[in-house]
């Protein structure tokens, strides 16, 4: 797997075309799971791990890689399966999520596949809110499960869910503002909603780009002005059926929608996001999940929105 991440420049060209690459792996059974290659820095055989006293049971220990110390999580345990046998046969997928670097211990690593987001579906009905799936796709007749890593990270690593009192500008309290939030992760949707509620903003929560696109078109068909309905749109990038880059491109190309302020809010690495935001016409990129940064971004736009609509 040493060369698994060669050609990152080539992979960035997939963004904006509703396509992505999925790294397939197994945990403790024959079931294969997937993770977006853009989240992955490298794949290595499990290195020696240093135990951390009183740490979460899912954390196997810490690994020392290239001068950095990173936590390694047993991904099997994290999603409610039995623990992995922590030996030299395991692999660690080193990832960057939500502004932090961590490793996920997995049983084996398979291959990388290149697919369209339209081939990725929401989890089957009935999986419930306790499910760790954010999406599924079918490869060679086999169902591949895409794990909701943001849910795993919240449960194991934790972090603040609300913005600090000192960043809240009481002069920007909501004037019946309404924000459209688009994200396939229920954890991420509710994180944004919780920040918005701190200043009295109502949210409409949708699960993917296609659902958002259909919703916006239905509003236009009913004669509703999108900018009057929503103060802004906050959208994830990685989503089944239609990704955030494609949604942004469509919105900004539509004369009935193009003036709406659009924030791409993603746990993807920021290496190429500035250029991608410009390419698809989004107004701002914001890395997940920092409630203070999100609150500041929302308040700054609300000031402009209120000035324009006063």
């Amino acid at each position: 797997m040493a060369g698994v991440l060669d050609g990152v420049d080539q992979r960035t060209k997939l963004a904006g075309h509703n396509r992505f690459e999925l790294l397939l792996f197994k945990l403790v059974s024959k079931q294969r799971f997937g993770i977006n290659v853009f989240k992955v820095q490298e794949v290595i055989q499990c290195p020696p791990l240093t135990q951390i006293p009183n740490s979460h049971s899912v954390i196997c220990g810490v690994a020392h890689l290239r001068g950095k110390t990173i936590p390694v999580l047993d991904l099997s345990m994290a999603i409610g399966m039995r623990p992995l046998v922590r030996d030299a046969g395991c692999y660690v997928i080193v990832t960057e999520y939500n502004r932090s670097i961590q490793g996920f211990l997995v049983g084996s690593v398979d291959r990388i596949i290149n697919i369209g987001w339209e081939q990725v579906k929401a989890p089957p009905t009935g999986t419930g809110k306790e499910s760790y799936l954010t999406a599924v796709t079918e490869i060679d007749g086999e169902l591949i499960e895409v794990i909701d890593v943001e849910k795993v990270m919240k449960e194991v690593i934790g972090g603040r869910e609300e913005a600090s009192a000192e960043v809240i500008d009481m002069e920007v309290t909501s004037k019946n503002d309404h924000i459209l939030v688009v994200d396939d992760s229920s954890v991420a949707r509710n994180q944004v909603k919780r920040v918005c509620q701190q200043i009295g903003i109502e949210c409409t929560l949708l699960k993917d780009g296609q659902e958002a696109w259909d919703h916006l078109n239905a509003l236009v068909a009913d004669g509703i002005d999108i900018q009057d309905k929503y103060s802004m749109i906050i959208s994830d990038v990685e989503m089944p059926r239609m990704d955030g880059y494609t949604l942004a491109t469509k919105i900004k190309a539509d004369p009935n929608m193009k003036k709406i302020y659009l924030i791409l809010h993603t746990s993807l690495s920021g290496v190429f996001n500035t250029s991608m935001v410009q390419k698809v016409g989004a107004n701002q990129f914001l890395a997940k999940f920092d409630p203070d940064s999100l609150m500041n971004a929302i308040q700054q736009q609300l000031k402009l929105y209120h000035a324009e609509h006063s």
Side-chain angles (χ1 to χ4, degrees), residues 180 206 211-221 224 226 230 233 247 251 257 260:
L180 178 61
L206 300 180
E211 187 177 25
W213 181 241
D214 293 343
H215 170 71
L216 292 169
N217 277 288
L219 293 177
V220 171
I224 297 173
I226 299 298
Y230 294 118
I233 299 173
L247 175 63
I251 288 173
M257 307 179 195
I260 188 76

Side-chain angles (χ1 to χ4, degrees), residues 124-142:
T125 303
T127 52
K129 65 180 182 180
E130 300 305 318
S131 170
Y132 288 88
L133 300 187
T134 189
V136 296
T137 189
E138 188 173 309
I139 302 296
D140 301 329
E142 178 186 352

Side-chain angles (χ1 to χ4, degrees), residues 42-62:
E42 60 181 321
V43 178
I44 59 174
Q45 285 197 304
C46 185
L49 300 177
T50 303
Q51 301 301 310
I52 306 174
N54 303 316
S55 62
H56 194 289
S57 60
V58 167
I59 298 179
C60 310
V62 295

Side-chain angles (χ1 to χ4, degrees), residues 14 17-22 24 111-124 134-146 184 208-210 238-243 246:
L14 299 174
H17 296 281
N18 213 36
R19 298 190 67 81
F20 79 125
E21 287 188 315
L22 201 62
L24 305 184
R111 60 190 170 106
I112 290 173
I113 56 171
N114 179 330
I115 59 176
W117 275 112
E118 72 279 358
Q119 296 172 255
V120 183
K121 310 300 181 186
T134 189
V136 296
T137 189
E138 188 173 309
I139 302 296
D140 301 329
E142 178 186 352
L143 195 68
I144 306 297
E145 300 181 353
V146 182
D184 62 323
D208 62 54
Q210 187 63 56
E238 291 183 283
M239 295 181 288
R241 301 201 297 166
M242 183 188 295
D243 69 20
T246 304

Side-chain angles (χ1 to χ4, degrees), residues 77-96:
M77 281 187 71
I79 64 171
M81 300 174 69
R82 69 179 187 271
L84 285 153
V85 177
R86 299 168 188 178
D87 57 22
C90 291
Y91 286 86
V92 172
I93 302 175
V94 181
T95 67
E96 182 177 354

Side-chain angles (χ1 to χ4, degrees), residues 156-177:
V156 179
I157 306 297
R160 285 192 300 113
E161 293 290 301
E162 294 187 342
S164 306
E166 54 265 27
V167 305
I168 296 177
D169 186 345
M170 298 310 297
E171 295 182 2
V172 194
T173 51
S174 177
K175 297 177 173 62
N176 297 316
D177 291 294

